[in-house]
Amino acid sequence: MPSMIFIERDGTRRTVDAPVGLSVLEIAHKHGVDIEGACEGSLACSTCHVIVEPAWYDRLGVASEDEEDMLDLAFGLEKTSRLGCQIVMTPELDGLVVRLPSGVRNAQGG
């Protein structure tokens, strides 16, 4: 089974199993990683914002216009920012490394 690494807000690196077909958001929730995902992956918030390590960023598909719009609302946006709900694990992403931003901005008001 593929794995991925979350770099938590305090810098701790956490390697977890990452089943093919699950999103980074779903994988985070499965392993108790602190990513909110207020809209439950429906692309209506930016609370699952992650920062993809540069070596992995170009391996991901291009972000949709809707994802780009939501990213504009994300706290701590960086060049390699993506929404965790939009990154779906594949065998090619085995070893993927993402960092959690220092905070989140919930535009849903919750």
Side-chain angles (χ1 to χ4, degrees):
M1 173 181 302
S3 65
M4 65 172 292
I5 299 169
F6 287 96
I7 302 174
E8 300 198 48
R9 289 179 179 85
D10 66 1
T12 302
R13 294 174 69 90
R14 189 163 166 199
T15 302
V16 299
D17 289 337
V20 170
L22 291 186
S23 71
V24 167
L25 174 62
E26 292 168 318
I27 293 165
H29 285 174
K30 176 180 169 118
H31 295 287
V33 175
D34 187 23
I35 296 179
E36 183 177 346
C39 74
E40 299 178 0
S42 65
L43 201 52
C45 74
S46 62
T47 61
C48 67
H49 168 222
V50 295
I51 300 152
V52 178
E53 288 293 294
W56 288 96
Y57 186 76
D58 289 336
R59 298 184 195 188
L60 303 178
V62 176
S64 69
E65 189 173 325
D66 288 340
E67 181 180 358
E68 291 285 349
D69 289 345
M70 284 293 107
L71 281 168
D72 287 341
L73 304 173
F75 178 85
L77 193 65
E78 296 189 18
K79 285 183 180 182
T80 61
S81 289
R82 292 292 300 265
L83 296 180
C85 68
Q86 298 301 297
I87 303 171
V88 176
M89 186 54 70
T90 64
E92 295 75 28
L93 293 179
D94 184 19
L96 174 68
V97 180
V98 300
R99 181 169 39 93
L100 304 184
S102 61
V104 297
R105 179 180 300 136
N106 187 344
Q108 287 187 320

